[in-house]
Amino acid sequence: MECFECSWRKPFLKWTIFASNVAGWTLGAALLGIGIWVVVERRNYDSVSNLAFNPAVIIIVAGSVVFIIGFFGCVGAIRKNKLLLQIYVTLLTILFVLEAVAGILAFVYRDEIRNEVTEVLKETVENYRNQDYDADLQGVLDDIQEQLMCCGATSYNDWELNQYFSCGSPSVTACGVPQSCCKTDKDNSLCGADTRRVTSSTILAPSQRNLYVDGCIHALDKWFEDRVVVIGWCAFALAVIQALGIVFTNCLLRDVQVEMKLASAKD
């Protein structure tokens, strides 16, 4: 794309790239700080069972990538440093390509991804309340169950897999579900106790009891289906912003190279 010569183009490119990357740099630093804080607070990073789905790890990786790219873009733009701008535009291009590939792969392998998420949910259900299991994933599961009004991975009966909630458990929560599965009385930690038990005196259908019955994988399916248009537009907007960043940076790089050639000619 040709970069048209005009008096406002150079400062426009410089300050646009600088401002956008200051925002990205700040966001990256915030995400990185939050991720590190979570890991330090837990003090059991080595016990993480599934790094790919660990929220703290995801936040740290995302924050690091955004922070590094933002640093090169911010400093490179304000100082008009050719090397930093070249590194920035290269990283931004790689990120753009990786996001496009990830989007395509996510669509092609959506069934496999769904199955993997289901397995992670089941594993989290099975290990819920175990002290040596990832506390972050347990918190995420509680949030999903409460916010999406679901229970278990595929159904509320998945909690039979958990040693504290199975019907053969000596625990007070036996034959029950966590309080995040309760429809009402959520402040009561035992609101889900005994809600899965069926006896001669318990004739209520599951939907009539004080618990959500739909599995969270089905709730997640519905959540994405309801928001697929919004997600698509957000992805498109992000792609446009990154593409403009690549174009603007190449234009600024051209200006820097021209200035360097003119400076060399004068010498």
Side-chain angles (χ1 to χ4, degrees), residues 143-154:
D143 289 339
I144 291 175
Q145 290 185 146
E146 188 168 351
Q147 298 298 322
L148 299 185
M149 295 183 290
C150 57
C151 190
T154 57

Side-chain angles (χ1 to χ4, degrees), residues 65-167:
V65 171
V66 175
F67 180 83
I68 293 171
I69 293 177
F71 169 79
F72 284 116
C74 183
V75 178
I78 197 67
R79 295 182 62 86
K80 289 187 177 180
N81 185 290
K82 179 182 176 182
L83 177 60
L84 293 181
L85 287 173
Q86 287 176 330
I87 294 174
Y88 169 70
V89 75
T90 300
L91 291 175
L92 194 60
T93 302
I94 292 173
L95 180 62
F96 181 84
V97 172
L98 288 177
E99 288 173 348
V101 171
I104 294 172
L105 291 177
F107 177 77
V108 174
Y109 295 102
R110 57 189 181 277
D111 292 335
E112 288 80 357
I113 293 173
R114 184 183 186 278
N115 292 337
E116 180 65 22
V117 172
T118 303
E119 289 305 312
V120 171
L121 288 173
K122 283 186 176 180
E123 181 183 340
T124 307
V125 166
E126 185 176 357
N127 292 280
Y128 190 87
R129 288 190 179 176
N130 286 351
Q131 293 184 353
D132 58 346
Y133 192 68
D134 187 1
D136 287 341
L137 284 177
Q138 296 180 49
V140 169
L141 178 60
D142 277 330
D143 289 339
I144 291 175
Q145 290 185 146
E146 188 168 351
Q147 298 298 322
L148 299 185
M149 295 183 290
C150 57
C151 190
T154 57
S155 82
Y156 69 98
N157 281 319
D158 288 336
W159 286 101
E160 183 63 26
L161 300 171
N162 185 277
Q163 60 178 323
Y164 302 105
F165 295 95
S166 68
C167 291

